[in-house]
């Protein structure tokens, strides 16, 4: 799933959370997400990099592309909600 930004959330805080996660990944052998299958560290880093680019793009006021593997209809709807939340500020 792509990041989900609430209307009152700050994208800068989301990026800070990703920075913390990146530091934790340095010591990890695998990542067990809240849902889905366990990830190896390489895949977790890829997702983190994609999420950071996506959130940073929203913060700049861009309409960032969704990662190809996460560009399904439900994620397109979430992307629309994220755009609306960021632009409402």
């Amino acid at each position: 799933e792509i990041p989900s930004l609430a209307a009152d959330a700050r994208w800068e805080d989301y990026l800070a959370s990703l920075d913390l996660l990146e530091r934790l990944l340095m010591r990890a052998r695998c990542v067990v997400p809240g849902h889905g299958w366990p990830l190896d560290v390489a895949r977790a880093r890829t997702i983190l990099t994609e999420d950071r680019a996506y959130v940073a793009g929203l913060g700049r006021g861009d309409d960032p592309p969704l990662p190809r593997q996460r560009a399904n209809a439900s994620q397109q709807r979430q992307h629309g909600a994220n755009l609306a939340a960021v632009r409402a500020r």
Side-chain angles (χ1 to χ4, degrees):
E1 294 180 359
I2 62 170
S4 175
L5 300 176
D8 60 346
R10 291 174 15 100
W11 62 270
E12 299 93 339
D13 293 339
Y14 203 108
L15 288 176
S17 296
L18 293 177
D19 290 342
L20 175 60
L21 178 59
E22 185 172 39
R23 288 193 299 275
L24 294 172
L25 278 175
M26 291 180 200
R27 300 188 316 233
R29 290 191 305 249
C30 71
V31 175
V32 180
H35 53 85
W37 300 101
L39 305 169
D40 64 33
V41 172
R43 179 68 185 133
R45 283 186 202 284
T46 297
I47 292 170
L48 183 132
T49 299
E50 292 170 350
D51 287 355
R52 181 179 282 130
Y54 176 77
V55 173
L58 288 173
R60 288 189 304 270
D62 297 344
D63 183 355
L66 298 181
R68 190 183 70 204
Q69 294 178 334
R70 296 185 272 168
N72 60 46
S74 70
Q75 295 303 286
Q76 290 288 345
R77 286 189 297 276
Q78 181 59 54
H79 176 60
N82 287 342
L83 287 173
V86 169
R87 290 175 178 165
R89 296 179 193 153

